[in-house]
């Protein structure tokens, strides 16, 4: 049985503090401050950061080292890696699989014709599973602009980690 990082943290937090966090609570209280927060900011709760430090001491040491000169630098590095992943992995594979389909990538979103959205979603799940051993959660949304009514986009959500 696999569990996501969020589910793991949810269980560990409950055992440590007898407080049950929702999965959104895990993101808000534990992950968001680590990844995006200013270590000097008030919302960097000492208890939660000590908790993360106890579970992931090497990761937290690296996070502090990266964020010390500029706390925003880690978010920039993560965005660069995300772009690299999309452009170096997904785009070439998508172009091979759907050579006649027009598409564009905007951040972590792929804009495709509505008629191909389900096929592209399935392809993305398979591709990321092959390259990264675990499929991402993917949600689909209809493009809202009237001119783009016949197109949909697929947005990557967070990756689950086994």
């Amino acid at each position: 049985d696999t569990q996501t990082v969020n589910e793991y943290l949810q269980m560990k937090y409950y055992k440590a503090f007898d407080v049950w966090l929702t999965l959104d609570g895990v993101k808000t209280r534990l992950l968001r401050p680590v990844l995006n927060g200013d270590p000097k900011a008030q919302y960097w709760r000492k208890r939660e950061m000590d908790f993360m430090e106890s579970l992931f001491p090497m990761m937290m040491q690296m996070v502090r080292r990266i964020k010390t000169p500029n706390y925003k630098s880690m978010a920039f590095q993560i965005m660069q890696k995300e772009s690299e992943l999309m452009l170096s992995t997904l785009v070439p594979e998508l172009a091979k699989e759907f050579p006649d389909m027009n598409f564009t990538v905007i951040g972590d979103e792929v804009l495709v014709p509505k008629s191909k959205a389900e096929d592209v979603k399935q392809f993305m799940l398979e591709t990321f599973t092959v390259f990264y051993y675990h499929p991402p959660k993917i949600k689909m949304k209809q493009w809202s602009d009237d001119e783009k009514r016949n197109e949909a986009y697929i947005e990557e959500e967070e990756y689950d980690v086994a």
Side-chain angles (χ1 to χ4, degrees), residues 1-3 7 162:
D1 188 34
T2 62
Q3 80 185 150
E7 290 166 339

Side-chain angles (χ1 to χ4, degrees), residues 1-159:
D1 188 34
T2 62
Q3 80 185 150
T4 66
V5 169
N6 291 0
E7 290 166 339
Y8 172 78
L9 290 172
Q10 187 180 44
M11 178 196 62
K12 289 289 194 181
Y13 192 87
Y14 179 74
K15 286 181 179 177
F17 302 112
D18 200 27
V19 174
W20 187 256
L21 294 177
T22 65
L23 293 178
D24 282 339
V26 168
K27 290 179 193 175
T28 303
R29 291 185 73 100
L30 300 175
L31 299 178
R32 189 174 295 142
V34 169
L35 297 175
N36 302 326
D38 180 349
K40 298 175 194 123
Q42 210 172 30
Y43 62 84
W44 261 59
R45 297 173 187 91
K46 181 167 176 30
R47 181 172 86 166
E48 281 76 6
M49 292 304 103
D50 289 347
F51 171 73
M52 292 296 283
E53 189 87 44
S54 72
L55 293 176
F56 309 106
M58 292 178 67
M59 180 194 79
M60 290 300 291
Q61 182 180 15
M62 181 187 71
V63 165
R64 290 186 201 296
R65 189 172 46 239
I66 291 170
K67 291 179 149 212
T68 297
N70 177 1
Y71 76 92
K72 294 179 182 179
S73 64
M74 188 165 179
F76 295 138
Q77 289 178 17
I78 290 170
M79 284 188 286
Q80 284 179 319
K81 288 296 178 191
E82 182 180 68
S83 294
E84 191 178 300
L85 175 129
M86 293 297 284
L87 296 174
S88 68
T89 302
L90 183 65
V91 168
E93 296 299 318
L94 206 51
K96 278 190 244 175
E97 183 69 19
F98 301 95
D100 298 328
M101 180 183 73
N102 291 326
F103 68 93
T104 190
V105 175
I106 305 168
D108 63 353
E109 300 170 359
V110 181
L111 185 66
V112 301
K114 184 177 180 180
S115 62
K116 297 284 188 181
E118 281 296 330
D119 293 338
V120 170
K121 177 182 178 181
Q122 188 59 41
F123 178 77
M124 286 176 67
L125 289 169
E126 292 167 8
T127 299
F128 282 112
T129 302
V130 166
F131 281 91
Y132 302 103
Y133 307 109
H134 203 281
K137 290 182 182 176
I138 295 177
K139 64 181 176 184
M140 294 174 43
K141 293 183 183 176
Q142 179 109 9
W143 189 264
S144 60
D145 185 358
D146 287 342
E147 293 176 350
K148 303 291 183 186
R149 195 175 309 184
N150 294 328
E151 295 180 343
Y153 75 85
I154 295 175
E155 179 182 290
E156 278 186 274
E157 239 178 28
E158 65 211 50
Y159 284 89

